[in-house]
Amino acid sequence: MVSLMRAGLGISLGCIWMVTTALAQNTSPEKLFQEAVDAQQRGDMTLAISDYESFLKLRPDSLEALANLGAALAHTGQFDAAIAQYRSALKLMPENPQILSNLALAFYKKGDSANAAVEFASVLHAEPANLRVAILLGDCYSRLDQPDRAVAVLQPFENSNGDNLDLAYALGSALIGAGKARDGLPLMERAAKGKQSAEAFFLAGSTWLKLNNFPAAREDLEECVRLEPTYPQAYTLLGVTAEGAHDTAAAEADLRKALALKEDDFTANLHLGGVLYGKRDLTAAKQYIERACALNPSSSFAHYTRALLEKASGDLDSAVTDLEKVVRGDPNWLEPHVELASLYYKLHRQADGLKERQIVDRLSAEERDKGPDARSNLGNSPAH
């Protein structure tokens, strides 16, 4: 019985092999390629990939098949495999701008901005009027924290493409990143309104907040949450904006919304703790300030805020410990030195108090010479 079963199995497999071989012999490479193209065009990427791979076993130097297979693989998220196919195609035609562009897009979608930028730059060199490639290259440079390079790529396109919202977003973002917020904001506002983009409204709102323009910041951030009601960072900045405008009720409400969406948001925890400290709800404030310190132990602002809380609670020694940590990390920040000098005197540490008093006098004089302090309201500002 066993030998018969084995014999039968062998006959069956042999029949399958012969049928498969016969089918392969009857399918010409040209027909196989066309079937792959048809499958790709109707969205059946699995079949298209299989057919292209079979075709390439017969015609390994087919530029079209290599490029098409790369596109099919990229469509299914197999970016490394797609990149390998595009590179094989470029060995056959090194300067093909379409294949170079597809290679760059595969790197871009994979999240490899550095390699994407190299390939996009090659395409733009060959096609200097290609706006789409310029926008993608500019975005790569922005992601690589090279906003000046992004501006240099994008700005020449601005005059002749003023109505292009993708260009407005990319250039606006690059200008803001390059420290030219006043130039970038109109472009970002245009992109936000034209595209109805939550992300663009958020970037515009956060930039207005850095400029201490609370009404403009709130307007854009409210548009952001209207478009995307579960955007936790937007509620965080709405809370910071309200706090900056001295609307503590709105600040508390917005910060609680942010934490309901993302409880480990450092900025929301710190600012809600600061708002509650301002209301002298010290027990509730401690919960959020302690969490902020745990989330970002290196934050000077978090430790400064905790020191204020500890001082208000009567724990002067702990307040001194936190303030000493703050001034070591940020020796030119005036307020912690003021608080520390006061606490030293309260604890009868006269020599330390005098030393801090001298530092306060020096820093105060320097600030008078420099003008108003330009500390950002974003992310880490202390509670007063």
Side-chain angles (χ1 to χ4, degrees), residues 180-200:
K180 301 175 181 177
R182 297 289 183 185
D183 295 328
L185 270 167
L187 293 167
M188 190 56 61
E189 295 275 11
R190 186 192 312 161
K193 293 170 184 175
K195 295 168 72 71
Q196 285 295 284
S197 165
E199 185 65 32

Side-chain angles (χ1 to χ4, degrees), residues 297-341:
S298 65
S299 168
S300 295
F301 284 117
H303 286 282
Y304 175 72
T305 307
R306 186 166 70 177
L308 295 181
L309 177 66
E310 289 162 341
K311 176 184 174 184
S313 302
D315 188 357
L316 304 189
D317 289 325
S318 294
V320 165
T321 299
D322 271 319
L323 288 168
E324 287 174 340
K325 183 174 182 177
V326 171
V327 298
R328 283 196 302 270
D330 194 349
N332 294 319
W333 183 10
L334 174 61
E335 286 85 352
H337 287 289
V338 173
E339 294 289 343
L340 193 53

